[in-house]
Amino acid sequence: SLLGRLAGLKRSIALKELTKTHPHVEKGGKVRPKHCKASEKVAIIIPFRNRHSHLYILLNNLIPLLQRQLIDARIFVVEQAMPTLFNRASLFNVGFLESQKFDKYNCFIFHDVDLIPIDDRNLYRCDEQPVHFSASMDKYGYELPYKKYFGGVVGFTRNQYLKINGNSNLYFGWGGEDDDLFERIDNKNYEIARPYKDIGRYDMVRHTHDSGNWDNCDRRVLLKSARDRQDVEGLNTVKYKSKYVKVMSHMTWINVEINLKEVLDTAPK
């Protein structure tokens, strides 16, 4: 039932319209095949802050893609409470831990809210190596911007994410965390699996920098210590306070508070 290349629906859609358009999604954002059992249980984790229009556009594209691919998945939106600077990588760690309170997931896909998949042959499944699903984006002319780029939409098995100790928690603001993640992958002798660039295509919903997500001026300095920090800072040191969890019609919403001072005070010297 795969269609191949997709148009990529970028028109704004309200939550009420989303629920009417995709009525077969189970509560909490669960999508699974009706007549067979999928080989994996997939947690799709979307880091979020104040991007509701982008989120609904993404779900309007992602839900039917998952249904055609016969994926057993649940969609988690992990929102960071204001006012602390946005920490996307730390929210990945939070999503990994919190999602396991709902089911025994063995595949975790971390998905930026503004990237729309435009080919359903790009299968949302994990691999023997970490997967970089968004191998080509319109932002970069559907080319890889540089060889070590590992951002946008990426996937890990549970064991892979544990072995690399997840993401660093030290990147507050925009930039650097994807390159740090690549260093962690490479340092543990993993390769990167990518779909062919004409299949791993994504279109970006254009936007400006959000308030509370300014450029991280320390990112280049932090990156120099990525490999040295890997085993002592990451998934095993993530600090957050869960404020609330909402099991909604088309997603499971997790709101957390991250204290910048607490994270930096307990970071390796």
Side-chain angles (χ1 to χ4, degrees):
S1 60
L2 298 182
L3 303 176
R5 185 62 50 81
L6 308 170
L9 304 174
K10 293 185 181 179
R11 72 173 184 86
S12 295
I13 182 170
L15 182 58
K16 288 183 178 179
E17 185 182 355
L18 186 71
T19 58
K20 292 179 181 178
T21 305
H22 307 288
H24 301 297
V25 177
E26 298 177 39
K27 194 170 183 180
K30 293 177 68 175
V31 178
R32 53 183 172 179
K34 292 182 178 180
H35 306 297
C36 64
K37 184 177 180 180
S39 60
E40 293 177 318
K41 282 186 174 292
V42 181
I44 296 177
I45 296 165
I46 304 170
F48 181 85
R49 179 186 270 173
N50 198 29
R51 293 271 202 91
H52 290 86
S53 62
H54 292 173
L55 176 63
Y56 302 150
I57 291 171
L58 171 61
L59 296 184
N60 192 34
N61 287 270
L62 189 57
I63 287 169
L65 178 144
L66 296 173
Q67 290 171 330
R68 289 194 299 273
Q69 292 183 358
L70 304 179
I71 303 294
D72 185 344
R74 184 171 185 145
I75 298 169
F76 295 90
V77 178
V78 186
E79 179 183 31
Q80 182 182 341
M82 294 292 281
T84 305
L85 276 169
F86 193 60
N87 192 324
R88 172 174 165 268
S90 199
L91 294 181
F92 287 162
N93 289 337
V94 172
F96 178 85
L97 295 173
E98 291 291 318
S99 64
Q100 293 179 79
K101 297 177 181 179
F102 291 85
D103 209 336
K104 295 181 179 179
Y105 296 103
N106 47 21
C107 177
F108 299 83
I109 296 177
F110 303 100
H111 207 301
D112 281 0
V113 72
D114 55 2
L115 288 181
I116 308 302
I118 58 170
D119 197 308
D120 62 8
R121 294 170 295 176
N122 190 7
L123 301 180
Y124 274 52
R125 294 184 172 94
C126 284
D127 192 83
E128 293 179 356
Q129 306 293 336
V131 182
H132 186 201
F133 294 95
S134 53
S136 57
M137 301 188 295
D138 63 339
K139 178 181 179 180
Y140 304 118
Y142 298 113
E143 297 285 346
L144 201 65
Y146 52 93
K147 186 178 179 180
K148 294 183 177 182
Y149 178 64
F150 190 78
V153 184
V154 300
F156 297 87
T157 66
R158 184 177 183 274
N159 288 337
Q160 288 166 0
Y161 202 69
L162 289 171
K163 185 174 179 179
I164 69 167
N165 197 22
N167 278 258
S168 171
N169 302 298
L170 303 184
Y171 290 84
F172 287 89
W174 183 88
E177 68 273 18
D178 292 335
D179 293 331
D180 191 294
L181 183 58
F182 175 87
E183 294 297 331
R184 288 173 175 244
I185 292 167
D186 189 60
N187 196 36
K188 295 299 182 180
N189 298 314
Y190 282 119
E191 301 291 335
I192 291 176
R194 289 189 176 100
Y196 292 115
K197 66 178 183 180
D198 62 333
I199 291 178
R201 286 194 167 208
Y202 287 76
D203 282 352
M204 178 176 283
V205 181
R206 300 297 179 182
H207 61 90
T208 57
H209 271 327
D210 303 306
S211 176
N213 191 26
W214 313 121
D215 282 356
N216 182 350
C217 298
D218 296 324
R219 61 185 185 271
R220 291 180 178 85
V221 175
L222 281 170
L223 193 58
K224 292 178 182 179
S225 64
R227 296 183 181 229
D228 294 333
R229 285 184 286 103
Q230 178 166 15
D231 294 331
V232 295
E233 186 276 313
L235 184 64
N236 60 351
T237 61
V238 60
K239 292 175 172 58
Y240 65 97
K241 179 181 178 181
S242 180
K243 298 188 72 176
Y244 61 83
V245 176
K246 289 183 180 179
V247 179
M248 302 170 68
S249 62
H250 283 54
M251 67 206 84
T252 298
W253 197 285
I254 300 169
N255 182 281
V256 299
E257 184 179 273
I258 298 174
N259 187 308
L260 185 150
K261 186 176 185 302
E262 180 185 22
V263 172
L264 297 185
D265 282 349
T266 57
K269 295 298 183 182

